Amino acid sequence: MPRNRVEELESTVRELESTVEGLTEELVESKERIRVLEDLLDAEQQSRVPERRTTEAREAGPDDVAAATAEADADPADLGLEADPEAEAVEEQDEPQESGTDEIIVA
């Protein structure tokens, strides 16, 4: 009976070694595919960088800032937009209400 047990263990060891060998090959192949994909991605990103740098960006001048500020401060009705009554109600709720007293509540 001990002979069969040894043969079973040897068989199990061979199966496990075969599995480890197969998984190791898969891992090596996967790492190689990942490396190739990363190289392609790096090359693609490097080719996109000059495109973004070629577009000319300009700094906002004082007139642009003043116009943007006026537009942001303008009433939506003045801009031809409808006012959102729910947004206005939320804004009114956010504002603290003054009760006229300086009471401290201790819990």
Side-chain angles (χ1 to χ4, degrees):
M1 192 95 147
R3 189 80 170 151
N4 285 339
R5 180 72 179 147
V6 170
E7 289 175 2
E8 282 181 35
L9 290 173
E10 287 175 349
S11 174
T12 302
V13 166
R14 282 191 298 273
E15 288 177 23
L16 290 172
E17 286 175 340
S18 175
T19 301
V20 167
E21 192 174 311
L23 290 172
T24 302
E25 287 176 14
E26 278 187 48
L27 179 62
V28 169
E29 290 172 4
S30 296
K31 283 185 173 184
E32 179 63 22
R33 286 190 299 245
I34 289 171
R35 188 190 61 76
V36 169
L37 290 172
E38 286 176 341
D39 290 345
L40 289 172
L41 183 62
D42 288 342
E44 184 178 309
Q45 287 177 347
Q46 289 175 356
S47 67
R48 290 184 181 182
V49 172
E51 291 175 14
R52 283 187 265 158
R53 290 184 180 164
T54 58
T55 59
E56 187 176 319
R58 67 177 190 89
E59 191 172 317
D63 294 334
D64 296 330
V65 172
T69 303
E71 186 175 320
D73 292 340
D75 186 22
D78 294 340
L79 298 174
L81 302 172
E82 294 181 20
D84 185 9
E86 290 181 17
E88 289 178 6
V90 170
E91 287 177 10
E92 290 173 5
Q93 290 175 356
D94 289 344
E95 295 176 8
Q97 296 178 356
E98 294 184 24
S99 62
T101 61
D102 293 331
E103 295 180 17
I104 298 175
I105 300 173
V106 179

